[in-house]
Amino acid sequence: MAEPTIQRSSLENHDHELKENIEKKKDSTANPEFFSCMLQPSPADSDPNYIGIRRFLLHRKAESGVLRRKDWRFNGKGYVAYRNYISRPRNWENLQIPSRSSTPGNSGRWMPSPSPVSQLLESDSWNSLKDLRSPSQASQALSRTTSFSSNASDTDDRPRRRSEPAYSFVGMHCIFDQCKAMVTVIKFGHMSSDLLAYGASDGSLTVCSVSMPPSVIKQLIGHSKDVTDFDFSTNNQYIASSSMDKTVRVWDISRGLCIRVIYGVSSQLCIRFHPVNNNFLSAGNAKKEINVFNFSTGRTISKTVVDGEVTAIDHDHTGQLIFCGDGQGCIYTVSMNSHTGALTRTHRNRSSSKHRSAVTTVQYRTFSLLARGPVLLAFTRDGSLSFFSVSLEMKGYLTLRCSLKLAPRLHSIRASFCPLLSLEKGEYIVAGSEDANVYFYDLTRPRNTCVNKLQGHGYPVIGIAWNHGENLLASSDFGGTVIVWKRAKTA
């Protein structure tokens, strides 16, 4: 009776050893040491010192690749590696990143954790509302998510992820004060950190460089009335401007010359280059029209009519949608064919205010942490800031996510997103004001929405613009002064 027992135990040991060998073989393929040994050249063909150095580099490359593959996780809503990369600590490779599941009522929001690593990195195990088991939990999470805030967010005394707030500034980088008229619009060049231009109410356009030492590159003179808007081409070689003198002008920056003038029958109020096909120019005018011009010939390709003066305009990143605001506070979505330039009006979002006020800013952004997708910012002269989520599947349908009521404006004061600042925590908006200050607002806060202000202008602040890296903020005022502010460095 003992012999079958011996045979059975020997078979079990053999199976166990076989399984261990299989597991070791599987693990060895992911082992950086095994990987570097397999890829090193044979000793007969190479110098031993070269072999050692190559093996060391291959080991580091394989180990780094394993860590990066672990980092690119999918949480059911999107990849979190980019957020983790920009917020990673210096000793990233030596840290073990624990996974932390969300709790009911906190789904889709940044939550602090006692772990120092999870304070710096985004967890990949967030649950959507459909994963909550009880209806009460789902309704509680939905109400807290749509309000974008909780009382705990304002009374939380725990330290921030970084030593300095992302909206803090160290002072003025430079000042341009040679213009004697109101600077109505100001912008940095496309994907540029140092090319800056601004238009004034005397019809002048000024192109500057903010790199040290700051200097004026060109003065573009041609408009006879207020410059209402302008836009850089993708390669920053041209500027297209609109004006109250009923013309659209195209400028060659390097030569400082106007190379094309497009005459209209009413004031041209806003203009944008097509983001994909720079041969198209989209312009809105006081005749309630959106016109698409051919950059090369100056001819009108197509146009569509809305219900009021088109006072602000912006494209989405694909160029297939145009978002515009009118003089009555309405926001329109217009589909555009990127090949032919044909326009088709699709949606209209009516203003909820009783007193219809002109839209001064319409700005599109490809992604927001709060909306988990593309968003649109709208700002009106009565002080209404509106934050919309954009449904690209429904041809740019807008859904109001939150709004903020500020003091009414006498001038056409503009506002802007703070995309990189919003990665910290919240949704930051920067806007000018009649009291000569620049204000920063966090739309996720129910109270104490203003988080910072910059003081330095002597007149109402009209225009706002970020450079590409968002380390510089430019603001212009009614007296013609342009101040470039330098943001504080963070760890």
Side-chain angles (χ1 to χ4, degrees):
M1 296 296 292
E3 292 180 1
T5 304
I6 294 173
Q7 292 177 359
R8 187 180 301 110
S9 61
S10 63
L11 289 174
E12 289 177 354
N13 291 334
H14 182 267
D15 293 341
H16 181 68
E17 292 177 358
L18 183 61
K19 289 180 180 179
E20 286 184 349
N21 292 333
I22 294 174
E23 293 297 330
K24 289 180 180 179
K25 187 174 181 181
K26 288 182 179 179
D27 295 338
S28 65
T29 58
N31 187 4
E33 184 71 25
F34 175 79
F35 176 76
S36 59
C37 291
M38 290 295 294
L39 292 182
Q40 72 177 5
S42 62
D45 299 336
S46 302
D47 180 52
N49 294 330
Y50 169 74
I51 293 175
I53 294 174
R54 190 173 188 273
R55 180 176 177 180
F56 173 72
L57 294 176
L58 286 171
H59 179 276
R60 294 189 62 181
K61 181 178 179 65
E63 186 177 13
S64 176
V66 171
L67 291 173
R68 293 300 180 267
R69 285 193 296 274
K70 288 181 180 178
D71 187 36
W72 282 100
R73 302 181 295 268
F74 188 73
N75 65 354
K77 298 178 182 178
Y79 289 99
V80 300
Y82 178 71
R83 166 77 184 179
N84 289 348
Y85 177 77
I86 63 175
S87 300
R88 68 180 184 176
R90 295 182 183 274
N91 56 343
W92 165 267
E93 281 78 8
N94 299 327
L95 290 175
Q96 299 294 328
I97 305 169
S99 178
R100 173 173 57 87
S101 60
S102 61
T103 56
N106 297 325
S107 177
R109 298 179 63 247
W110 298 112
M111 294 300 297
S113 171
S115 170
V117 177
S118 56
Q119 286 181 4
L120 289 164
L121 301 177
E122 174 185 359
S123 173
D124 64 316
S125 58
W126 292 340
N127 297 322
S128 58
L129 293 176
K130 64 181 181 181
D131 297 330
L132 300 176
R133 295 185 178 182
S134 65
S136 61
Q137 291 176 348
S139 61
Q140 183 183 6
L142 181 61
S143 63
R144 294 192 182 184
T145 304
T146 54
S147 66
F148 297 127
S149 58
S150 63
N151 294 332
S153 64
D154 292 332
T155 58
D156 192 1
D157 296 331
R158 281 171 285 194
R160 291 271 184 171
R161 293 185 189 84
R162 299 181 180 181
S163 58
E164 299 228 9
Y167 44 79
S168 62
F169 287 77
V170 296
M172 299 179 185
H173 176 71
C174 62
I175 298 176
F176 298 96
D177 59 355
Q178 76 279 0
C179 185
K180 303 305 178 183
M182 177 178 62
V183 177
T184 54
V185 57
I186 184 169
K187 288 182 182 180
F188 278 92
H190 181 71
M191 303 289 285
S192 175
S193 296
D194 57 357
L195 183 63
L196 177 68
Y198 54 89
S201 58
D202 60 0
S204 64
L205 265 168
T206 307
V207 183
C208 308
S209 173
V210 298
S211 59
M212 300 306 292
S215 61
V216 175
I217 300 175
K218 294 291 182 182
Q219 283 272 9
L220 308 178
I221 305 298
H223 287 295
S224 59
K225 293 184 179 180
D226 303 38
V227 175
T228 56
D229 199 6
F230 69 88
D231 195 24
F232 282 91
S233 62
T234 303
N235 56 10
N236 291 328
Q237 294 182 1
Y238 304 100
I239 283 180
S241 60
S242 60
S243 172
M244 297 292 288
D245 63 6
K246 304 180 183 180
T247 65
V248 168
R249 292 178 179 263
V250 180
W251 308 85
D252 187 324
I253 298 177
S254 60
R255 294 186 294 169
L257 297 176
C258 177
I259 60 175
R260 190 169 308 284
V261 181
I262 303 174
Y263 294 94
V265 295
S266 61
S267 298
Q268 306 294 322
L269 304 179
C270 51
I271 192 166
R272 286 294 182 276
F273 272 102
H274 192 279
V276 178
N277 186 351
N278 268 193
N279 200 39
F280 291 154
L281 281 171
S282 304
N285 59 33
K287 202 180 175 182
K288 307 179 182 180
E289 296 175 340
I290 302 173
N291 292 291
V292 177
F293 300 109
N294 187 300
F295 174 82
S296 302
T297 64
R299 295 182 178 179
T300 302
I301 299 174
S302 62
K303 67 178 179 180
T304 187
V305 180
V306 297
D307 299 339
E309 296 182 347
V310 183
T311 54
I313 194 171
D314 201 9
H315 278 278
D316 75 327
H317 63 289
T318 65
Q320 298 179 4
L321 296 174
I322 296 177
F323 302 96
C324 63
D326 67 6
Q328 300 178 1
C330 296
I331 307 296
Y332 301 87
T333 304
V334 179
S335 297
M336 181 176 181
N337 189 309
S338 300
H339 300 288
T340 63
L343 300 177
T344 305
R345 186 174 141 182
T346 57
H347 302 290
R348 179 179 66 173
N349 188 288
R350 292 180 179 271
S351 174
S352 58
S353 176
K354 295 181 180 179
H355 306 286
R356 301 295 177 87
S357 181
V359 178
T360 62
T361 301
V362 171
Q363 189 175 12
Y364 174 86
R365 183 175 155 204
T366 56
F367 180 77
S368 168
L369 289 172
L370 294 181
R372 301 296 172 193
V375 289
L376 190 75
L377 173 68
F379 188 40
T380 58
R381 290 187 65 169
D382 64 356
S384 297
L385 267 171
S386 301
F387 183 81
F388 299 93
S389 61
V390 182
S391 174
L392 299 179
E393 294 80 6
M394 299 177 64
K395 295 184 178 180
Y397 182 79
L398 302 179
T399 303
L400 181 64
R401 301 299 298 269
C402 61
S403 61
L404 181 63
K405 183 64 176 177
L406 306 176
R409 268 65 173 158
L410 297 176
H411 304 90
S412 296
I413 293 178
R414 303 172 191 263
S416 174
F417 279 118
C418 305
L420 294 186
L421 307 191
S422 300
L423 289 176
E424 177 74 12
K425 184 179 180 181
E427 189 63 51
Y428 293 106
I429 305 295
V430 58
S433 176
E434 300 283 353
D435 61 1
N437 295 325
V438 179
Y439 287 94
F440 292 79
Y441 303 98
D442 184 359
L443 296 182
T444 64
R445 297 192 179 196
R447 300 186 303 273
N448 303 321
T449 311
C450 179
V451 294
N452 194 20
K453 71 176 179 179
L454 303 178
Q455 297 175 314
H457 287 280
Y459 297 91
V461 179
I462 306 297
I464 293 290
W466 288 101
N467 72 340
H468 176 58
E470 285 193 36
N471 62 315
L472 297 177
L473 173 69
S475 57
S476 63
D477 64 24
F478 183 82
T481 302
V482 172
I483 299 179
V484 180
W485 309 85
K486 190 173 183 180
R487 192 158 67 92
K489 293 183 179 180
T490 55

